[in-house]
Amino acid sequence: MIPPQEASARRREIEDKLKQEEETLSFIRDSLEKSDQLTKNMVSILSSFESRLMKLENSIIPVHKQTENLQRLQENVEKTLSCLDHVISYYHVASDTEKIIREGPTGRLEEYLGSMAKIQKAVEYFQDNSPDSPELNKVKLLFERGKEFLESEFRSLMTRHSKVVSPVLILDLISGDDDLEAQEDVTLEHLPESVLQDVIRISCWLVEYGRNQDFMNVYYQIRSSQLDRSIKGLKEHFHKSSSSSGVPYSPAIPNKRKDTPTKKPVKRPGRDDMLDVETDAYIHCVSAFVKLAQSEYQLLADIIPEHHQKKTFDSLIQDALDGLMLEGENIVSAARKAIVRHDFSTVLTVFPILRHLKQTKPEFDQVLQGTAASTKNKLPGLITSMETIGAKALEDFADNIKNDPDKEYNMPKDGTVHELTSNAILFLQQLLDFQETAGAMLASQETSSSATSYSSEFSKRLLSTYICKVLGNLQLNLLSKSKVYEDPALSAIFLHNNYNYILKSLEKSELIQLVAVTQKTAERSYREHIEQQIQTYQRSWLKVTDYIAEKNLPVFQPGVKLRDKERQIIKERFKGFNDGLEELCKIQKAWAIPDTEQRDRIRQAQKTIVKETYGAFLQKFGSVPFTKNPEKYIKYGVEQVGDMIDRLFDTSA
């Protein structure tokens, strides 16, 4: 059982808690009542607010709609005013821009083009909206005047700033291809950069807005004149340089080929130095045309619309190209006349020019891409003309060598090398400098199927055959000419000198290798001919040595007194020898053997024969009492005879 005191305490505790709970419950009840009251009040307020909002909305919405309409009306008014301002501005364009247009575009191109844009828009507006308006005519006239000023400015800029390229700069441009060490490109500034940009802007405007192509004609005419004058200036530079210093500034010609001589070319017989200047000048002018034309196309590509570039370029280069082609044809014509005169040294002008034209042709073809067929065919036509005249010259030269007349007054009195021989060899040596060119000339005239696409080996064989033909013709002519001499010994010396000259000339140059391509025994054949002539010459001394030869001497017994007849024979032998020796030495001293080695060899051989024969004769009869005046017959000692022979072929002795 719970003690009474504890139970009483628990009761009090429970009663206290119950009382607290009742108080809490009472508080909650009061709070709920207040909350309900607040809710009722809030609902009442919201209902009142909603009512007021509805009243406000009913009064504001009409005002808002009215305001929106007013704003729309205001915007329409502003737009209308703006359009009116825009339209009115077109009516002011003429007066606003007239001063600028009248003063022209010089120095203020952008401002000028801006004014032209305004005028153009005004023209378009009046055409679309008021085609009968007098304002349309005003702006149209102003536009046309502005366009004319732009065309005039284009012409003025091109004329004022297009300069002739100096000869020295052109030569640097040409020689730049060969200078592998100096890789700095020589560039040409045809127009200052600022001017170029203005020209490009005007060009673009004239094409896009001006509907004008006349400026392209202006462009090509001005640039064509500068190109032509630049090339002519280079030619004049060569003439002036050659006349003042004798040596024009002449850099190496581009595109050297393997047939270009590395040694100094042999001086052409009878050539005028001015011909060499003309040739050099023409070759450089051809190279100059290629370089300048390339540069012109680069400039043109920036200024002229793409679809007009080829045609404009074709027109631009015509004068300069025609000038070169005309000069080339004049060279062909001069060569043709020279052939008629048998002046083959002048014809040689064609060879270096033709070689250079053929070497330059790939660049030419590249530059002329897109031009008319008539333009492209000009260089090939000139090359064909030069090949034809060159082949004609070679053919006529060979015939001329064969048919050169035997003019007695033209024969060398001393039996030395004939002018025909030296000229023929010099001509052939010149061909060495142009082996491929000369071979191609000959091949171009071949009608056989193998010649249609001839190789370098084929043309080399043709050239070898040609050289052998010339040498054969020369040999036949020399044989004929040698008969002009009455003295067979002089004929022999003449043929010896000429054959020896030919052989030595062949050996000193590449001619011998060319000859050997088709005639391998040529060298041996010439040596045999030379030996034959030496033997023929030596026979001229038989009439001297025969007097004292052992077989023609009288036989007598030593110690036995000579009979009168025997003494007379010995006297005749001495006299015949002396007279013959003196006569031959006198005659043959005036003859010439230019080759020192051959001269010494022939003298020595003759001296040996004569001295031996005379020595034996003198030993046998020198002490024989065949006369009371031995000094009258024994005029020369053996060594004296040798000395006399040593003075043969020496006009200075």
Side-chain angles (χ1 to χ4, degrees):
M1 281 187 64
I2 301 173
Q5 290 178 342
E6 284 185 18
S8 177
R10 285 286 295 272
R11 190 180 300 114
R12 281 194 302 272
E13 184 179 344
I14 292 169
E15 287 175 354
D16 287 341
K17 286 183 179 181
L18 182 61
K19 186 178 180 180
Q20 288 176 356
E21 292 292 334
E22 285 176 352
E23 288 175 355
T24 301
L25 182 63
S26 176
F27 175 77
I28 291 170
R29 190 178 294 114
D30 290 341
S31 296
L32 285 171
E33 286 177 359
K34 288 179 181 179
S35 177
D36 286 343
Q37 187 61 42
L38 288 171
T39 300
K40 287 177 182 179
N41 291 340
M42 181 60 71
V43 169
S44 175
I45 291 168
L46 288 172
S47 297
S48 175
F49 186 68
E50 183 180 8
S51 174
R52 289 179 181 179
L53 279 175
M54 288 180 66
K55 288 179 181 179
L56 182 63
E57 184 177 345
N58 290 334
S59 61
I60 287 298
I61 285 175
V63 174
H64 175 73
K65 287 182 178 178
Q66 188 177 5
T67 303
E68 193 176 52
N69 290 334
L70 287 172
Q71 286 177 338
R72 191 176 296 113
L73 287 172
Q74 184 180 357
E75 287 174 2
N76 289 339
V77 168
E78 288 175 354
K79 286 180 180 178
T80 302
L81 289 172
S82 176
C83 287
L84 284 172
D85 288 340
H86 185 64
V87 170
I88 290 168
S89 71
Y90 287 129
Y91 285 86
H92 293 156
V93 164
S95 58
D96 291 344
T97 59
E98 186 174 10
K99 184 173 182 292
I100 295 173
I101 298 303
R102 186 174 64 249
E103 291 175 354
T106 305
R108 52 173 181 176
L109 182 61
E110 288 304 318
E111 181 186 4
Y112 191 90
L113 290 177
S115 296
M116 289 297 292
K118 291 177 183 178
I119 297 169
Q120 185 179 6
K121 287 178 181 176
V123 170
E124 291 169 356
Y125 171 80
F126 288 121
Q127 282 177 336
D128 292 341
N129 299 284
S130 185
D132 298 327
S133 168
E135 289 297 326
L136 176 59
N137 290 331
K138 269 189 186 180
V139 289
K140 264 189 173 182
L141 286 172
L142 196 57
F143 184 82
E144 289 302 317
R145 188 189 303 172
K147 186 169 75 170
E148 288 173 6
F149 281 146
L150 281 171
E151 293 169 0
S152 178
E153 179 70 1
F154 183 89
R155 179 188 293 274
S156 176
L157 288 173
M158 290 300 303
T159 303
R160 288 202 318 270
H161 297 282
S162 291
K163 305 295 183 186
V164 173
V165 184
S166 72
V168 173
L169 185 57
I170 294 174
L171 290 168
D172 287 341
L173 190 69
I174 296 171
S175 62
D177 283 355
D178 277 350
D179 193 355
L180 298 178
E181 295 180 3
Q183 289 296 331
E184 294 182 9
D185 291 334
V186 180
T187 55
L188 298 177
E189 185 184 69
H190 293 293
L191 298 172
E193 184 59 29
S194 60
V195 174
L196 176 61
Q197 293 308 316
D198 283 355
V199 168
I200 292 171
R201 292 280 286 117
I202 295 172
S203 166
C204 291
W205 190 94
L206 289 172
V207 171
E208 188 173 354
Y209 303 110
R211 305 292 188 268
N212 177 286
Q213 296 182 8
D214 291 344
F215 77 94
M216 298 181 199
N217 295 333
V218 171
Y219 178 86
Y220 92 70
Q221 287 166 3
I222 293 171
R223 294 307 308 170
S224 174
S225 173
Q226 299 303 328
L227 175 61
D228 194 38
R229 288 168 61 195
S230 296
I231 293 174
K232 287 177 178 174
L234 178 63
K235 184 179 179 182
E236 290 172 7
H237 170 76
F238 271 84
H239 291 162
K240 288 178 183 175
S241 298
S242 64
S243 61
S244 60
S245 64
V247 183
Y249 169 48
S250 172
I253 297 171
N255 304 320
K256 280 191 176 181
R257 296 289 180 90
K258 61 184 179 182
D259 67 342
T260 303
T262 54
K263 60 182 181 300
K264 185 178 180 180
V266 179
K267 180 65 180 174
R268 300 167 188 165
R271 277 302 299 273
D272 184 349
D273 286 341
M274 279 309 297
L275 273 177
D276 293 325
V277 173
E278 289 286 347
T279 302
D280 214 21
Y282 185 74
I283 285 172
H284 282 82
C285 285
V286 168
S287 293
F289 172 82
V290 172
K291 293 296 181 186
L292 292 176
Q294 287 172 342
S295 183
E296 285 293 342
Y297 195 85
Q298 291 169 0
L299 178 67
L300 175 143
D302 290 333
I303 298 172
I304 304 299
E306 186 176 357
H307 54 289
H308 291 286
Q309 289 173 4
K310 295 294 185 184
K311 183 179 178 182
T312 305
F313 180 70
D314 198 341
S315 301
L316 189 156
I317 61 173
Q318 283 304 314
D319 284 351
L321 182 58
D322 285 345
L324 282 177
M325 295 303 106
L326 177 61
E327 195 171 342
E329 289 298 340
N330 287 341
I331 290 168
V332 171
S333 179
R336 191 174 289 112
K337 292 174 183 175
I339 291 172
V340 174
R341 299 193 309 269
H342 293 163
D343 178 12
F344 296 100
S345 60
T346 300
V347 182
L348 286 168
T349 303
V350 171
F351 286 75
I353 291 173
L354 176 58
R355 178 177 66 186
H356 187 65
L357 289 178
K358 293 177 81 170
Q359 290 172 357
T360 313
K361 187 176 180 296
E363 284 186 276
F364 242 100
D365 292 343
Q366 188 175 14
V367 168
L368 300 183
Q369 275 182 350
T371 58
S374 58
T375 303
K376 292 177 183 175
N377 292 334
K378 286 180 180 178
L379 180 66
L382 179 58
I383 287 175
T384 299
S385 295
M386 286 197 169
E387 280 195 327
T388 303
I389 200 65
K392 170 71 172 167
L394 292 175
E395 178 186 348
D396 281 28
F397 178 78
D399 291 342
N400 186 64
I401 292 296
K402 181 179 181 180
N403 301 318
D404 184 69
D406 305 326
K407 297 177 182 175
E408 187 172 348
Y409 63 84
N410 198 33
M411 294 294 290
K413 305 298 182 186
D414 57 1
T416 190
V417 178
H418 197 280
E419 184 182 11
L420 180 70
T421 303
S422 57
N423 285 351
I425 293 299
L426 285 171
F427 185 88
L428 294 179
Q429 286 173 334
Q430 286 299 310
L431 293 187
L432 281 178
D433 296 341
F434 310 103
Q435 290 183 41
E436 289 186 8
T437 305
M441 281 179 179
L442 295 167
S444 70
Q445 304 306 303
E446 290 289 309
T447 55
S448 62
S449 58
S450 62
T452 54
S453 57
Y454 54 86
S455 63
S456 59
E457 187 61 33
F458 175 75
S459 60
K460 188 175 183 179
R461 289 189 67 83
L462 283 179
L463 184 57
S464 174
T465 302
Y466 172 77
I467 291 172
C468 291
K469 176 183 177 182
V470 171
L471 293 174
N473 289 352
L474 178 60
Q475 188 172 336
L476 289 172
N477 199 319
L478 289 172
L479 277 170
S480 177
K481 288 183 186 305
S482 69
K483 295 172 183 176
V484 170
Y485 295 112
E486 295 179 359
D487 190 334
L490 183 53
S491 294
I493 291 297
F494 170 77
L495 290 174
H496 164 273
N497 283 333
N498 282 270
Y499 292 157
N500 185 62
Y501 178 83
I502 294 169
L503 178 60
K504 290 293 175 68
S505 299
L506 294 177
E507 290 175 333
K508 285 178 183 176
S509 64
E510 296 175 28
L511 281 171
I512 194 67
Q513 285 92 341
L514 260 180
V515 168
V517 170
T518 54
Q519 205 173 96
K520 299 188 182 304
T521 61
E523 189 174 358
R524 186 180 69 192
S525 177
Y526 273 111
R527 294 194 186 284
E528 289 174 355
H529 289 321
I530 290 168
E531 288 305 316
Q532 284 177 355
Q533 300 312 317
I534 291 175
Q535 291 172 17
T536 301
Y537 162 74
Q538 287 176 339
R539 283 198 288 274
S540 70
W541 281 84
L542 288 176
K543 61 182 179 182
V544 176
T545 55
D546 274 358
Y547 279 106
I548 56 174
E550 182 71 29
K551 61 182 179 180
N552 296 325
L553 295 177
V555 178
F556 61 91
Q557 295 297 323
V560 178
K561 186 179 179 180
L562 293 174
R563 290 176 294 178
D564 290 343
K565 184 179 180 181
E566 290 173 335
R567 284 197 297 272
Q568 188 60 34
I569 290 174
I570 295 172
K571 288 178 184 179
E572 288 174 357
R573 295 292 185 267
F574 269 110
K575 186 177 186 305
F577 173 78
N578 292 337
D579 291 347
L581 177 66
E582 290 167 359
E583 181 186 1
L584 282 187
C585 286
K586 180 181 178 181
I587 293 171
Q588 295 185 8
K589 189 181 83 167
W591 297 353
I593 299 179
D595 187 321
T596 306
E597 184 181 339
Q598 285 287 359
R599 184 170 65 233
D600 292 344
R601 177 188 164 208
I602 291 171
R603 280 175 179 168
Q604 187 58 45
Q606 202 57 54
K607 187 166 65 171
T608 300
I609 295 169
V610 175
K611 281 177 68 176
E612 286 180 359
T613 308
Y614 182 63
F617 176 74
L618 197 59
Q619 185 177 7
K620 189 169 186 179
F621 294 102
S623 58
V624 173
F626 65 91
T627 179
K628 293 179 180 178
N629 301 304
E631 66 278 358
K632 179 180 177 181
Y633 297 98
I634 308 175
K635 294 171 66 174
Y636 305 105
V638 174
E639 293 306 319
Q640 270 183 294
V641 170
D643 291 342
M644 290 171 70
I645 295 174
D646 274 336
R647 288 193 289 273
L648 297 179
F649 318 117
D650 186 0
T651 55
S652 64

